Amino acid sequence: MSGPAPAPRGTVLLDLDGTISDPAGGVYASFRFALEQIGKPWPDGEPLAWIIGPPLRESFMLLLDDPERTAQALQHYRTHYAAGALYDNRLYPGMAEAIAALADDGFRLYVATSKLVSFAEKIVARFGLAPRFARVYGSSLDGRIDQKGDIIAMCLGTEDIDPETCIMVGDREHDVNGARANGLDCIGVTWGFGGAEELTAAQALTLCERPADLPGLIRRVIDARLALLPSET
C-alpha cells in the first residue's frame, strides 16, 4: 500500500496576460470596438500596450472619466471579446514546458489574473494547461473584485496558502504591488508588457528573461525559504 502523497514544494501564482500568453490581438481589437461603439474611436497608431495588466474598468475610466460610459464600454468590450477575440491569443514559447516542469516538480499552481475569470478559464483550457493548475482566479463580473491585490488575497484565503512558500509571477507593476500587499514577493518576467524598468522600479524580487529559466529560478527561491522554516520534528 502506498504512503501519503508528498506535500507540495510550494505554491506559484501566475499572471495570465503578458506572462503565460500574449493576448494583444484580441484585447486591442475588443478595446477599439468598445470605444467605437460609444463614439470615441482610438486614434490609429496610438499605443495600447498600457491597457494590458490593469483592470479594464480602470483603463476605460482613465479615458472616459465617466462611470456610465465606462460601464457601457466595458460591456461592448466583453461582447466582442466573448464572440471570439479571446482566442486571438498566443502562448509564449516555452511557457507550456515551464508550467509542466513546475507542476511535475511538486509545485501547486494557480492563475491569478485581472482578466474576467470566465475568460481566463477558457483561455487556459484552450492552451491545454487546465490540468496543470489547481484553479484559475480572476476578476468578478460585477466588478467588486478586479484589483490584482484583491484577486491574490481571494486565492490565498480560499486555498489556505502559506505565504512563506508562495511566489507570484507577473509582467507588470500591478503584479508586484498586488503580491506585496499580500505579503508575497513577485518574480518579474520581461517578455510581457511591463518590461525590466517598470518591474525593477516596482521592486520585483528578481527578473526572468526567458520562460525556460523560470522553473529553476522559482525552485531556488522557494527552496531557500523552505530551508529557513523551522523543522516540524
Side-chain angles (χ1 to χ4, degrees):
M1 184 172 62
S2 62
R9 294 186 60 171
T11 305
V12 184
L13 312 184
L14 290 118
D15 175 50
L16 180 58
D17 291 352
T19 300
I20 295 175
S21 68
D22 178 355
V27 169
Y28 293 173
S30 297
F31 195 80
R32 289 179 179 279
F33 174 84
L35 292 177
E36 288 170 1
Q37 295 305 300
I38 62 169
K40 191 178 176 66
W42 186 255
D44 290 339
E46 286 293 312
L48 274 174
W50 62 274
I51 70 171
I52 298 180
L56 272 169
R57 190 183 305 273
E58 185 177 295
S59 298
F60 279 124
M61 190 65 181
L62 281 173
L63 286 177
L64 303 173
D65 196 27
D66 182 305
E68 184 176 348
R69 295 186 79 198
T70 291
Q72 292 170 353
L74 190 58
Q75 185 55 52
H76 287 306
Y77 175 96
R78 287 172 173 170
T79 298
H80 187 272
Y81 201 65
L86 78 164
Y87 296 127
D88 187 359
N89 200 320
R90 179 178 64 88
L91 187 67
Y92 286 115
M95 273 309 295
E97 292 81 3
I99 289 167
L102 288 166
D104 291 343
D105 206 19
F107 289 97
R108 193 161 176 82
L109 308 181
Y110 295 89
V111 171
T113 174
S114 292
K115 187 183 288 295
L116 196 65
V117 66
S118 58
F119 290 155
E121 289 171 340
K122 290 177 181 177
I123 292 166
V124 169
R126 176 71 168 247
F127 289 136
L129 299 175
R132 297 296 187 177
F133 289 97
R135 188 170 173 182
V136 174
Y137 283 87
S139 65
S140 60
L141 187 61
D142 60 10
R144 288 185 303 107
I145 297 177
D146 63 3
Q147 297 295 320
K148 183 55 69 80
D150 294 336
I151 291 161
I152 293 173
M154 178 171 58
C155 178
L156 295 179
T158 302
E159 306 295 339
D160 194 24
I161 293 169
D162 180 3
E164 291 290 335
T165 56
C166 180
I167 193 84
M168 178 73 201
V169 178
D171 70 308
R172 299 299 308 268
E173 62 183 347
H174 309 81
D175 300 304
V176 182
N177 295 335
R180 183 180 300 114
N182 287 280
L184 303 181
D185 283 320
C186 180
I187 293 174
V189 301
T190 60
W191 55 81
F193 293 87
E197 184 175 347
E198 176 181 310
L199 291 163
T200 300
Q203 298 183 329
L205 176 65
T206 188
L207 302 183
C208 183
E209 297 183 353
R210 302 187 309 151
D213 297 333
L214 190 59
L217 186 55
I218 290 172
R219 288 186 197 108
R220 289 192 293 275
V221 170
I222 296 294
D223 285 351
R225 293 183 178 181
L226 288 170
L228 295 175
L229 293 179
S231 172
E232 295 182 0
T233 59

